[in-house]
Amino acid sequence: MYVEKYVASGNDFIIFHTFHACDRAKLAQELCHRQNGIGADGLIVLLPPCSQSYNFIWQFYNADGSVADMCGNGSRAVALYAYTHNLAPSKLSFLSGAGVIYAEVYDDNNVEVCFGVPKIIKQNLKEYGRESWLINTGVPHLVILDTELDNLTTSQLKHIRDKYNANVNIVCLFQGQLRVRTFERGVEAETFACGTGMAAAFVVACSKRWMAQEGIVIPASNEELYFRFAGEKLFFKGKVQKVCGTIVA
C-alpha cells in the first residue's frame, strides 16, 4: 500500500485513496505512532463518491484510532492530495462526517476551505476563572479567553477536554494578533495547530469585536493563517506541504 504524508500548519496527516471501505482504526494507530510507525496526527482515506454532488468521501481517524467528523487542517491537506492525484479539480468538495466540505486549491499550494456556518453552543462559561465559549466548527471546541497562552497547564487543559468532551483552545490577543494554543482530543495532547480550533477562536474574536470579519490567526506553529466570513459562512486559507510518499506493508 502506498501512502503519502502531508503537513498543514504543523498538523501532519497520512493519506491514501482506495475503493474499499472498512474500519481502519487499528491501521490509524499503527501508521500514526510516532515511534513505531510513520508518525502523524491523523489518517485520512479517500473513497469513491456515492453522489455526483461531491468528488469523494473521506474517512478521518485521529492518531488514537478514534473517528472525527471534521478536521480543518486535514481538509486542506486532503484537498491538495486529491487535486495532485487527479481525483478532483482545483475547486472540489467531499463528504465528511460534518457534511459536504468545499475547498479550493491555488497554484502556490495554498488551500481554502469553507467551514459552513459555525454554531455557538454556549457563551459565558467559566473555566479556571476565565471566560469560555463552546463552539462547533465541524467538531466541538471550548475556547478560553486569557491574557497569556501559557497561564494554564497541559493537565488543566486535559481536565477541561474530558469535562466537555471537546477540543480546548486558549486564545489571547497580543499586539493586535490573535494567538491560539490547542489541546486536541483524539491526539490527546497539544498540537502545533488545529484548523477547526482556530476557526472557533476566530468566531469568538469576531463576536467580541476583537477582529473584523477577516483576519490572521497564529497557532503554535507560528504560521499566519487567514480567516474570513462571507455572509454567515466561515473560510480558512493556508499553505499545505507534501512531506513524502512511501510503501507500507
Side-chain angles (χ1 to χ4, degrees):
M1 180 175 62
Y2 182 78
V3 303
E4 294 182 351
K5 182 171 176 176
Y6 283 68
V7 173
S9 308
N11 274 154
D12 51 350
F13 306 95
I14 297 166
I15 307 176
F16 69 91
H17 59 282
T18 180
F19 290 100
H20 177 51
C22 67
D23 183 355
R24 294 183 167 89
K26 183 178 180 182
L27 178 64
Q29 293 174 324
E30 293 172 351
L31 294 181
C32 294
H33 197 283
R34 294 289 179 185
Q35 287 73 42
N36 299 325
I38 297 172
D41 292 322
L43 170 68
I44 306 174
V45 183
L46 287 76
L47 299 168
C50 296
S51 166
Q52 293 183 351
S53 60
Y54 49 84
N55 298 105
F56 59 90
I57 299 171
W58 88 345
Q59 291 181 323
F60 184 93
Y61 295 92
N62 292 308
D64 66 355
S66 61
V67 175
D69 288 336
M70 174 57 176
C71 173
N73 288 325
S75 63
R76 290 191 296 120
V78 81
L80 181 60
Y81 176 94
Y83 175 66
T84 301
H85 287 271
N86 296 315
L87 301 174
S90 59
K91 290 184 178 181
L92 60 93
S93 61
F94 65 92
L95 182 63
S96 74
V100 177
I101 305 300
Y102 297 89
E104 182 170 0
V105 180
Y106 296 87
D107 291 339
D108 56 0
N109 284 355
N110 270 294
V111 180
E112 185 172 60
V113 171
C114 177
F115 281 96
V117 180
K119 182 180 180 181
I120 299 175
I121 301 172
K122 198 165 186 179
Q123 305 178 44
N124 301 319
L125 296 167
K126 287 288 184 180
E127 286 300 331
Y128 295 99
R130 294 160 173 84
E131 180 184 354
S132 305
W133 296 45
L134 190 60
I135 310 282
N136 191 307
T137 50
V139 290
H141 284 269
L142 190 79
V143 178
I144 303 173
L145 308 183
D146 209 336
T147 56
E148 298 286 345
L149 287 181
D150 59 356
N151 282 340
L152 295 179
T153 66
T154 299
S155 61
Q156 287 173 317
L157 299 185
K158 168 63 174 168
H159 169 75
I160 299 168
R161 173 262 179 272
D162 292 339
K163 178 178 177 180
Y164 291 92
N165 190 26
N167 301 280
V168 182
N169 305 273
I170 306 293
V171 180
C172 73
L173 193 64
F174 179 73
Q175 295 180 349
Q177 295 179 327
L178 193 68
R179 293 186 170 269
V180 182
R181 172 188 171 200
T182 300
F183 187 100
E184 286 196 61
R185 64 179 186 176
V187 181
E188 301 306 330
E190 293 190 45
T191 56
F192 285 112
C194 173
T196 52
M198 289 182 287
F202 182 74
V203 170
V204 175
C206 290
S207 298
K208 294 186 69 66
R209 301 187 186 279
W210 287 3
M211 305 184 78
Q213 295 297 293
E214 61 181 65
I216 300 296
V217 180
I218 302 176
S221 65
N222 285 321
E223 181 180 353
E224 293 187 352
L225 298 158
Y226 177 67
F227 287 81
R228 65 181 176 91
F229 273 104
E232 294 184 331
K233 292 184 178 180
L234 179 59
F235 291 79
F236 166 37
K237 186 177 182 181
K239 191 172 286 291
V240 179
Q241 176 188 359
K242 176 184 172 182
V243 175
C244 66
T246 186
I247 297 174
V248 296

